[in-house]
Amino acid sequence: MKRSHYIIGGLALAISMPSSLQAQTTQPKDTTMTRTVVVEQEYNPDIMDASKINVLPKVEEPTVSKKEVEYATTFFPATSVPAGLMRPYTGKEVQPGTPPGYVRAGYGNYGNLDVLGNYLFRLSKKDKLNVRFQMDGMDGKLTLPFTDGEKWNAFYYRTRANVDYTHQFDQFDLNIAGNFGLSNFNFQPKSVNSKQKFTSGDFHAGIHHIDETAPLRFHAETNLLMYERQHNMFNESEANTGIRETIIRTKGDVTGAIGDQQSITIALEMNNLLYSGYTKDVATEDEYFKNYTTLLLNPYYELDNDDWKLHIGANVDLSFGFDKSFRISPDITAQYIFSDSYIVYAKATGGKQLNDFRRLESICPYGELPEANTTATLGYVQRPYDTYEQINGSIGFKASPYPGLWFNVFGGYQNLKNDLSYLGFDPGNISYLSFAQDNTNNLYLGGEISYDYKDILGISAKYTYRNWDSQTEKYLLAVKPVSEMSFNVRVHPISALNINLGYDYVGRKEVKEYAKMTAINDLHIRASCNIFKGVSVYAQAHNLLNKKYQYYWGYPTEGVNFLGGLSFRF
């Protein structure tokens, strides 16, 4: 008997046949055929089509390549306080053997403070508890713009604490988290209020389907978010003008697979906003803040194959009790991949931007909510309407012509209803910044490029130009970015040393007969060095060119400032 061997698709097959059949005999004595199939998995260490893996970023914002697992060791730029929002923190998966604890502490001139602690408790193979604490800020004398060198004893401190628990079931993740935030800062001299305090906290519980191959998947969560602004302008003679905002946010989505490459999803989000405290004028009984509900419905279809990635849907927004009751915007993304390394894409998106207290802080923490003034000619508001992005459409081209190198060029148009911004006022002996709104739009063009050589060198640059226009309130354009440029070089010459050199530039639009804000011009450097196992020293310096500019109208940033400290892994 002869055995024939074949290699088919990485499998070894051996087929045995009687020798009588091999000789093509026609003897009728035995017409049966015995067939034995032995299937063996061939060892193949090579990844098929490896050239197609991690070559191109998705249509979403590009992500950096995966680096060594670490605990939030990035340094918070001292000059960017108080930019950013408190986000629910989720403990990251770590590799076995990675130290679960991380502590960092640093101090600098202008009283710059940087404190961070994080510990991941691996309670079991399926249970993880992450605890995190962070505090940063500054306290020092700054020179006020538009004055003859007047000094201001400024301070701004932010504190964040987070607890996150995850239990892994066979097909689901159960996540429970709690977050606390506190922002303490003062206003410049002659302001309506002397200081401010924002207190925030939230509770999150959710369940997430982790089996991406399941024909039916779902995600559901509920959130209780609380926030208080301690001081506001309403009847500023009153001592207690605090306003408390509570949001009950419920989110969920259901996804049904149509084969291996297609799916349909229906997503739903409901926000119930409740207000208490100083929500009305005690003299006139005019109510500034009323409770209301928003509802978002987002159905969409997705196709994902070797050549096409499509996302086709719509954002349907409803409001009850406040703001416009019904709005609809597109939710469409399409990209086509050709020659393995090139992508052409187009996007048309939109949707509601909830102007809750958290967003007010991110846009301008020094912004006030003033009393009504029917004689005002500027569009400032007591209670902001929610901003609605009617459309944000763009087209672009991405490519990776050489390993480690990629670039992206793009252009688009954005239209915003009730775009939230702020104005500066100086009536007499007091001054303040007031939130204001108008319908705006902008045309934008830009590009970005990056190159990574192994884990030794990384270079990236990005530039965006925007042409803003406002329907009636041209003054609001004074704080809008026109030219945005960033450049970053990362050098990792030896395993113990990391160096980052960066430059950020943001130019603003000049509004005739009103204002021209000085461009943000920040050259900065960061470095860290591992001196012992688990122990590192780090240092950073910002505004190395010692430029005088403002992140917020009338509020100066620091001159040359530095910060250094130690970090520990345990």
Side-chain angles (χ1 to χ4, degrees), residues 308-469:
W308 284 96
K309 294 184 184 297
L310 297 176
H311 177 107
I312 302 174
N315 294 304
V316 181
D317 291 277
L318 303 173
S319 294
F320 306 94
F322 179 71
D323 207 353
K324 191 170 182 177
S325 60
F326 177 80
R327 291 186 186 272
I328 187 169
S329 62
D331 180 25
I332 301 172
T333 301
Q335 72 172 26
Y336 176 68
I337 306 173
F338 61 96
S339 298
D340 294 337
S341 308
Y342 302 90
I343 290 180
V344 176
Y345 66 90
K347 295 193 287 187
T349 60
K352 182 186 288 288
Q353 299 173 7
L354 201 65
N355 285 331
D356 58 4
F357 285 172
R358 283 174 170 80
R359 187 158 192 262
L360 297 188
E361 180 182 357
S362 69
I363 291 176
C364 181
Y366 302 102
E368 300 279 6
L369 297 170
E371 288 188 282
N373 184 353
T374 57
T375 62
T377 58
L378 303 178
Y380 68 79
V381 292
Q382 299 168 273
R383 163 71 179 278
Y385 291 97
D386 290 332
T387 300
Y388 200 81
E389 188 176 57
Q390 192 63 55
I391 188 171
N392 188 346
S394 64
I395 57 174
F397 174 68
K398 296 181 180 181
S400 180
Y402 183 80
L405 173 68
W406 74 267
F407 67 86
N408 175 27
V409 292
F410 57 88
Y413 170 79
Q414 182 184 31
N415 183 275
L416 295 166
K417 308 297 183 184
N418 292 318
D419 187 11
L420 184 62
S421 187
Y422 64 91
L423 293 164
F425 287 87
D426 189 11
N429 295 324
I430 61 172
S431 62
Y432 61 95
L433 302 180
S434 174
F435 289 107
Q437 292 184 289
D438 193 21
N439 297 338
T440 63
N441 58 77
N442 82 93
L443 289 166
Y444 56 90
L445 297 169
E448 51 189 326
I449 186 171
S450 72
Y451 175 73
D452 286 288
Y453 178 71
K454 299 181 178 180
D455 195 30
I456 300 175
L457 175 68
I459 302 174
S460 63
K462 182 176 181 179
Y463 177 79
T464 305
Y465 170 77
R466 302 179 184 274
N467 184 14
W468 285 95
D469 191 22

Side-chain angles (χ1 to χ4, degrees), residues 45-60:
D46 297 327
I47 301 175
M48 307 303 292
D49 295 330
S51 62
K52 296 181 180 180
I53 298 177
N54 291 336
V55 174
L56 291 169
K58 296 182 179 180
V59 168
E60 292 79 23

Side-chain angles (χ1 to χ4, degrees), residues 1-8 11-19 21-22 33-40:
M1 181 177 289
K2 182 179 180 181
R3 173 172 292 184
S4 300
H5 295 270
Y6 302 91
I7 303 298
I8 301 176
L11 298 178
L13 281 75
I15 302 177
S16 300
M17 296 180 293
S19 60
L21 291 179
Q22 302 164 20
M33 179 176 67
T34 301
R35 178 175 297 168
T36 302
V37 179
V38 180
V39 179
E40 301 174 353

